[in-house]
Amino acid sequence: MTELEKIAYAKSFIDKLANGINPLDDTPIPKGDIANNVRLSRCFFYVSSILQREIDRERRKVPKEKRKVAKEKKQERLPFTITQEQLKDFGYSPNPLSATAVARKINWLVRDDIEQKKIESLSYRKITQWLLNIGMIEYREWEDGKMKRFPTEEGEKIGLVLADWDNYGRRAPVIYYTEDAQRFIIDNIDAVIATEVIKGKTSYPWGVNNEEADD
């Protein structure tokens, strides 16, 4: 891992803490937890801005030609792939997980290939898009007038559960995956991997993307 990648990785943790999210499993941090203190949150945002400046500084150090080579190498990565044998080591969590956490656990099983840039990582958006495609998740209008994702009746049957996330007064519905839902994803991993996501984001059935609707 390069110095730039290390800084970016650290910033991703700080950003999640600043937004009231546990960076280890992507679950909302309880309101009463010290990490959700508004003064700490402001400090996290401040540290994040410093890390961003450091990231920008490190990027300017990289010669243009090297950036071009790095981009070409990234484009040479093979699509995400994983064997059934590797999937046997997936540790099912008895606690509901976010789609991001499920994808992260799957990626961990082939981390060497991902870190060596041999294959792409599996995006949580593929999981969500696939569930949208097969009718386990649907878009509904939320109380703020924006479209958000909700599990359908069929989705609830496979173990999708809805949680009400409140982050400093901003409420939003968030879908979590119980152990049954995690098993459903692993059992259908080939279909998930084959799913196409428009411009890297899950989309409405009629083709309109809404970044705010993502986890």
Side-chain angles (χ1 to χ4, degrees), residues 58-87:
E58 287 292 324
R59 283 175 175 166
R60 286 194 292 269
K61 293 179 182 178
V62 181
K64 184 177 181 180
E65 188 59 31
K66 286 188 177 181
R67 290 200 298 269
K68 181 180 178 181
V69 172
K71 183 178 180 180
E72 290 175 349
K73 286 184 177 180
K74 183 177 181 180
Q75 292 174 341
E76 292 172 358
R77 291 187 187 185
L78 295 173
F80 178 84
T81 183
I82 190 169
T83 66
Q84 291 299 317
E85 190 65 27
Q86 290 168 320
L87 285 171

Side-chain angles (χ1 to χ4, degrees), residues 14-42:
I14 294 296
D15 287 343
K16 288 183 179 181
L17 286 170
N19 285 286
I21 300 174
N22 185 333
L24 299 179
D25 58 13
D26 290 298
T27 58
I29 297 175
K31 292 182 181 179
D33 194 289
I34 184 65
N36 253 336
N37 182 279
V38 65
R39 294 171 65 184
L40 281 179
S41 180
R42 290 170 181 167

Side-chain angles (χ1 to χ4, degrees), residues 1-6 8-9 59 62 66-81 107 110-122:
M1 186 179 288
T2 65
E3 187 66 21
L4 178 59
E5 290 171 334
K6 290 178 181 178
Y9 186 68
R59 283 175 175 166
V62 181
K66 286 188 177 181
R67 290 200 298 269
K68 181 180 178 181
V69 172
K71 183 178 180 180
E72 290 175 349
K73 286 184 177 180
K74 183 177 181 180
Q75 292 174 341
E76 292 172 358
R77 291 187 187 185
L78 295 173
F80 178 84
T81 183
N107 286 326
V110 288
R111 59 190 178 281
D112 289 342
D113 286 342
I114 293 176
E115 290 174 358
Q116 294 172 22
K117 305 186 186 305
K118 293 181 179 179
I119 63 173
E120 299 174 347
S121 59
L122 177 68

Side-chain angles (χ1 to χ4, degrees), residues 80 82 87 99 102-103 106 121-134 177 181-197:
F80 178 84
I82 190 169
L87 285 171
V102 173
I106 294 172
S121 59
L122 177 68
S123 169
Y124 79 88
R125 292 186 175 92
K126 279 185 175 275
I127 297 175
T128 305
Q129 185 68 66
W130 179 67
L131 291 172
L132 277 164
N133 293 348
I134 64 173
Y177 297 63
Q182 295 166 42
R183 292 184 182 277
F184 185 76
I185 295 301
I186 297 302
D187 289 345
N188 294 277
I189 193 64
D190 290 339
V192 173
I193 294 172
T195 299
E196 292 293 331
V197 180

Side-chain angles (χ1 to χ4, degrees), residues 135-198:
M136 298 296 177
I137 291 177
E138 65 183 3
Y139 279 104
R140 301 177 199 161
E141 186 173 348
W142 182 237
E143 58 189 31
D144 59 3
K146 295 180 180 179
M147 301 301 290
K148 302 292 183 180
R149 294 193 299 270
F150 291 80
T152 62
E153 183 177 346
E154 291 302 312
E156 291 175 349
K157 289 179 181 178
I158 67 164
L160 298 180
V161 294
L162 189 70
D164 188 10
W165 179 40
D166 188 340
N167 184 34
Y168 301 108
R170 181 186 176 189
R171 296 177 62 250
V174 180
I175 297 175
Y176 283 97
Y177 297 63
T178 64
E179 184 172 343
D180 285 342
Q182 295 166 42
R183 292 184 182 277
F184 185 76
I185 295 301
I186 297 302
D187 289 345
N188 294 277
I189 193 64
D190 290 339
V192 173
I193 294 172
T195 299
E196 292 293 331
V197 180
I198 302 174

